[in-house]
Amino acid sequence: MTVELQYIGHSAFYIKYNGYGILIDPFISHNPLANIDINSLKVDDILVTHGHGDHLGDAVAIAKAKGAKITAIVELASWCAKQGVKTLGVNIGGKLEFPWGEVWFYNATHSSAVPGSDDYVGVPASIVMNIDGKTIYHAGDTGLHQDMKTIGEMYFPDVALLPVGGFYTMGPKEASFAAKWLNAKKVIPMHYNTFDVIKQNEEDIKRYFDKNSSSECVFLKPSEVLNV
Ligand code: NI
Ligand code: MN
């Protein structure tokens, strides 16, 4: 069965597999890149890497509208639960079983607070997903860190979703080393060109990936689907 990975824009993705719908970091209604119609999507699970508005996004509203469950680091999950939605609070490193696959939350080197507050909502995370033998790694918001080497050795991602916008996260050069360390077959650059401060040139991004990694660099347009 196909694992369909759809880019929404920024760090937001939608995965369709075996009748299940999974959203990651669903920043949609205020996302200048997004053109997807959320009402048309079936959503069972929403995975959120950290509390920042451009990642938590519409998670609570969508969870309410669709009856979907939000999975996040415990402190963030508990904040979401207070908004009246179903949640699963998790932490770094344990295997989580979903009807559609296996998930591990791992480190990201970043920070985490919910919009409109500096209240700490746990550590920021990255996410490894194994769906039907295919491995997808969503790096979240992060600087370059060497845990990616371990993730590469353990999970061999078929696709790595890596921030490349710079300023708040890795830029193209750092992300190209992440791709190498992750042993990723394909990389999909994310978290760039959404706002002025994270503007990047796609030719520069591709040049760095070609030079420093053996990963194939795939640029997805908003709403475009990759069959993993
Ligand atoms: Ni962030
Ligand atoms: Mn961000």
Side-chain angles (χ1 to χ4, degrees):
M1 217 163 292
T2 324
V3 178
E4 291 178 30
L5 175 68
Q6 185 170 27
Y7 180 54
I8 295 174
H10 201 56
S11 297
F13 289 84
Y14 177 67
I15 294 171
K16 211 161 101 179
Y17 171 71
N18 196 19
Y20 291 98
I22 304 116
L23 275 170
I24 310 163
D25 283 2
F27 170 54
I28 301 171
S29 59
H30 292 102
N31 181 343
L33 299 177
N35 56 21
I36 204 165
D37 174 17
I38 187 64
N39 296 316
S40 68
L41 303 179
K42 178 176 188 282
V43 185
D44 301 284
D45 286 291
I46 305 171
L47 311 180
V48 181
T49 60
H50 65 294
H52 290 156
D54 58 322
H55 298 262
L56 183 62
D58 303 287
V60 168
I62 294 168
K64 276 185 185 160
K66 311 262 181 184
K69 186 175 66 191
I70 296 178
T71 297
I73 293 293
V74 283
E75 292 84 356
L76 176 56
S78 134
W79 183 87
C80 291
K82 284 181 200 142
Q83 320 303 309
V85 298
K86 280 190 286 184
T87 60
L88 178 64
V90 303
N91 222 311
I92 302 292
K95 183 169 83 175
L96 313 167
E97 313 252 10
F98 289 84
W100 42 265
E102 300 168 339
V103 171
W104 296 257
F105 276 56
Y106 272 107
N107 282 346
T109 47
H110 192 65
S111 62
S112 185
V114 287
S117 143
D118 287 328
D119 291 348
Y120 179 69
V121 284
V123 294
S126 60
I127 302 172
V128 176
M129 278 163 280
N130 180 0
I131 307 174
D132 201 16
K134 302 286 187 180
T135 302
I136 300 169
Y137 178 62
H138 187 298
D141 272 359
T142 189
L144 185 61
H145 61 80
Q146 294 213 343
D147 285 9
M148 292 181 190
K149 283 187 180 172
T150 309
I151 289 165
E153 285 169 10
M154 287 181 68
Y155 301 103
F156 297 96
D158 291 282
V159 184
L161 318 175
L162 301 179
V164 300
F167 195 83
Y168 301 112
T169 69
M170 302 188 284
K173 182 177 181 182
E174 296 79 21
S176 70
F177 279 80
K180 177 172 74 174
W181 291 350
L182 285 162
N183 282 313
K185 290 197 191 87
K186 290 180 181 167
V187 292
I188 297 175
M190 66 176 182
H191 210 271
Y192 72 103
N193 289 358
T194 324
F195 314 110
D196 283 345
V197 71
I198 55 172
K199 272 239 173 356
Q200 295 290 343
N201 177 323
E202 291 188 345
E203 282 167 25
D204 291 343
I205 296 169
K206 187 174 181 331
R207 203 173 51 241
Y208 275 114
F209 281 117
D210 288 350
K211 183 178 168 211
N212 296 324
S213 80
S214 53
S215 304
E216 181 194 349
C217 180
V218 181
F219 294 101
L220 294 183
K221 293 188 179 63
S223 293
E224 197 175 343
V225 173
L226 176 81
N227 289 331
V228 178

